[in-house]
Amino acid sequence: MERIAFFDTKPYDRIWFDKLNTEYDIKYIDHKLTPDTAAAARGCKAAVVFVNDTVNSETIDELCAVGVKLIALRCAGYNNVDIKYAKDKIDVVRVPVYSPYAVAEHTMALLLTLNRKIHKAFIRTRDFNFSLNGLIGFDLHGKTAGVIGTGQIGRIFIDICRGFGMNVIAYDPYPAKDTDINYAPLDKLFAESDVISLHCPLTNDTRYIINESSLAKMKEGVVILNTSRGQLIDSDALLQALKDKKVRGAGLDVYEEETSIFFEDYSSTIIKDDVLALLVSMPNVIMTSHQAFLTDEALQKIAEVTLANLGAFFRGEELKNAVLYKTDKA
Ligand code: NAI
């Protein structure tokens, strides 16, 4: 039985892997993969990793040194992997799609919660405070959603927005063919959208796509949603725009410095990241901890596809979910 190292394991990760795995001896490791922890994979042929594992050149060297031949991402995004460096050293596979519905639905949940202040109302009524002061929202119907990135998730989010009667404009350098999506240049999207939602990957082109200059082009009172990758937003610039009331609210499932923070319980610790602390403290910011994918359906699919990826690798078959340097847009 091949031994597999499974980094950054949380209880919810194990549910479907334990149910479906019959072929591998899985060594579940609680801590994240970094150059310092890679040696924990000694004796394993594959390392299963997630979004906040650090798979840089040093980690890749360490993994190779202890005999790991395959990095199996149990996620779609691979911006945390140095694909260029991995080329010809180690194979990398991923789960390209698990549940785009999970992420798109979570994005709308953030918007609805923020707009109708459900997070405030929940706390109030539990304290028998039935006042409505400060809870005014706006109708989504008739407002314009600007969607950046019209891949799997962006397109489902567009459908959801249309279900609410919103007008949708979108930007994507690779527009989807055979759709009725109303594409617009980025500056027009910034200028006309009441809500802007990010559904593009993190690449050199998209890093800090929301920054001081793009925020300046937006409507007063715009709502920003990010369920993609933290570094799509310059958090300092967003913080300032929230203070200036340029941005009415932000729904964030990701944060640019999340790697050492998200997925862990720091409730008894003083958070040293002032930007994070200020964002979380704002009544018009909802932050979730990279949770958008977390549905039963997505976890099952992640386990199924990862086990299939491992099977293809160990049987010497073609790796149809390989992440190849030549297709990397980063
Ligand atoms: P996808 O690959 O299907 O779609 C991405 C789209 O972004 C493509 O249409 C692509 O052409 C477009 N794009 C590329 N460069 C762009 C640019 N410069 N500006 C605007 N659009 C650009 O990816 P999918 O599955 O829709 O995922 C989107 C992102 O969601 C992922 O990259 C990942 O970062 C994030 N994600 C977050 C999860 C979470 O739990 N929060 C879970 C899964 C994905």
Side-chain angles (χ1 to χ4, degrees):
M1 217 179 217
E2 296 290 358
R3 200 144 202 247
I4 309 297
F6 195 109
F7 283 91
D8 199 10
T9 313
K10 296 286 181 283
Y12 48 82
D13 290 315
R14 296 184 58 151
I15 300 168
W16 282 100
F17 277 90
D18 283 346
K19 249 186 221 172
L20 300 176
N21 170 44
T22 51
E23 286 181 55
Y24 307 105
D25 173 14
I26 302 182
K27 178 183 179 186
Y28 289 110
I29 300 164
D30 290 346
H31 50 246
K32 291 188 171 64
L33 174 62
T34 67
D36 293 337
T37 64
R42 189 176 298 281
C44 300
K45 287 272 168 52
V48 174
V49 308
F50 200 46
V51 289
N52 285 327
D53 288 308
T54 306
V55 196
N56 58 17
S57 55
E58 266 183 275
T59 305
I60 291 169
D61 284 343
E62 295 292 335
L63 288 175
C64 292
V66 298
V68 173
K69 307 278 184 222
L70 175 74
I71 295 167
L73 288 155
R74 53 182 198 277
C75 53
Y78 49 88
N79 53 281
N80 56 328
V81 183
D82 189 338
I83 295 299
K84 187 175 179 184
Y85 192 78
K87 189 173 181 296
D88 301 328
K89 292 186 184 69
I90 193 163
D91 285 309
V92 182
V93 287
R94 66 177 181 137
V95 183
V97 184
Y98 34 97
S99 174
Y101 301 100
V103 182
E105 288 170 13
H106 189 83
T107 312
M108 182 48 88
L110 288 175
L111 175 57
L112 290 172
T113 308
L114 257 183
N115 176 28
R116 304 309 301 270
K117 303 180 172 56
I118 305 297
H119 54 307
K120 306 295 278 179
F122 174 75
I123 291 167
R124 279 193 195 179
T125 54
R126 284 174 74 87
D127 200 25
F128 299 98
N129 173 355
F130 297 104
S131 156
L132 297 182
N133 292 334
L135 298 186
I136 301 172
F138 61 88
D139 284 9
L140 292 180
H141 187 272
K143 299 295 185 305
T144 298
V147 175
I148 299 181
T150 57
Q152 309 268 355
I153 298 168
R155 270 181 269 174
I156 293 165
F157 186 67
I158 288 173
D159 288 344
I160 293 174
C161 289
R162 286 176 171 167
F164 278 80
M166 299 184 82
N167 308 313
V168 180
I169 52 178
Y171 170 75
D172 194 311
Y174 312 95
K177 295 190 178 78
D178 305 325
T179 68
D180 59 352
I181 296 173
N182 180 15
Y183 284 101
L186 204 46
D187 278 357
K188 184 172 156 72
L189 182 149
F190 288 145
E192 294 184 4
S193 301
D194 300 292
V195 173
I196 294 179
S197 195
L198 301 173
H199 297 289
C200 53
L202 175 62
T203 67
N204 291 335
D205 291 336
T206 61
R207 185 169 283 106
Y208 283 0
I209 195 166
I210 304 297
N211 56 32
E212 193 183 341
S213 135
S214 56
L215 282 160
K217 295 172 187 162
M218 293 177 199
K219 276 187 174 176
E220 291 291 321
V222 64
V223 174
I224 306 279
L225 304 169
N226 187 8
T227 53
S228 281
R229 285 294 180 266
Q231 283 180 41
L232 297 175
I233 298 184
D234 176 345
S235 307
D236 286 312
L238 175 64
L239 191 58
Q240 192 55 51
L242 283 156
K243 286 182 186 166
D244 296 342
K245 301 204 171 97
K246 171 89 184 187
V247 170
R248 181 186 177 111
L252 309 172
D253 187 51
V254 287
Y255 172 61
E256 59 174 312
E257 299 296 338
E258 73 180 50
T259 304
S260 59
I261 299 169
F262 278 19
F263 307 145
E264 307 301 333
D265 178 0
Y266 287 108
S267 54
S268 308
T269 314
I270 306 294
I271 290 289
K272 296 208 176 78
D273 182 330
D274 291 348
V275 175
L276 175 67
L278 276 170
L279 284 171
V280 168
S281 76
M282 293 193 167
N284 52 347
V285 173
I286 307 239
M287 193 175 279
T288 51
S289 181
H290 210 129
Q291 181 193 332
F293 75 100
L294 198 65
T295 64
D296 262 338
E297 290 79 359
L299 290 171
Q300 178 177 352
K301 185 85 188 240
I302 286 169
E304 284 170 357
V305 176
T306 302
L307 290 168
N309 285 341
L310 292 168
F313 176 79
F314 286 116
R315 288 190 297 273
E317 293 166 9
E318 186 201 348
L319 298 178
K320 67 179 171 48
N321 292 325
V323 184
L324 302 173
Y325 176 59
K326 65 180 168 54
T327 61
D328 180 35
K329 291 174 197 158

